[in-house]
Amino acid sequence: MEQLCQNLSPQYDQVLTHVLLFSPRRRRIAEIDVLGIKGEYCDAYEVKCSYRPTKARKQLRRIRKVLSPLRQVKNTFFYCGDTGIMENILDNQ
């Protein structure tokens, strides 16, 4: 994940890792592995050690739903650490 963050740093104003999201009742409902912030929007990255895009898509859908009222989520990505593949996950809502 450190390698991914170093590669993403020039593209964003700020790169955050392990961002926890809580419900209004203060329950932990999601964790964003990598969040790239650029001006008014952000991009979320889900990192998996093996190739599991279905699970990543489910988690990114939840992240987008929770984070959208706070900041515009422009793109969501899945990164497989084992193969080094990065895919843009389109969220059809």
Side-chain angles (χ1 to χ4, degrees):
M1 189 167 2
E2 294 173 19
Q3 179 76 26
L4 176 63
C5 291
Q6 289 175 357
N7 292 342
L8 295 175
S9 292
Q11 299 175 24
Y12 298 104
D13 297 335
Q14 191 174 15
V15 176
L16 305 173
T17 60
H18 305 293
V19 178
L20 297 176
L21 299 175
F22 294 92
S23 72
R25 296 181 193 163
R26 298 185 182 196
R27 292 183 301 183
R28 182 179 146 186
I29 53 176
E31 179 180 358
I32 305 171
D33 292 332
V34 179
L35 183 67
I37 301 172
K38 179 77 170 182
E40 295 294 317
Y41 75 89
C42 64
D43 293 338
Y45 294 81
E46 182 63 33
V47 179
K48 298 284 181 208
C49 58
S50 61
Y51 190 78
R52 297 186 297 185
T54 304
K55 185 170 183 181
R57 184 176 289 113
K58 180 180 176 184
Q59 290 175 311
L60 287 167
R61 194 174 295 132
R62 182 183 314 132
I63 288 168
R64 183 181 289 257
K65 181 179 178 182
V66 172
L67 196 58
S68 289
L70 306 173
R71 184 176 291 269
Q72 179 186 357
V73 181
K74 189 172 181 182
N75 296 303
T76 52
F77 296 95
F78 161 63
Y79 177 75
C80 177
D82 190 31
T83 60
I85 295 173
M86 185 179 316
E87 295 180 10
N88 189 351
I89 302 292
L90 299 174
D91 203 9
N92 299 327
Q93 292 185 6

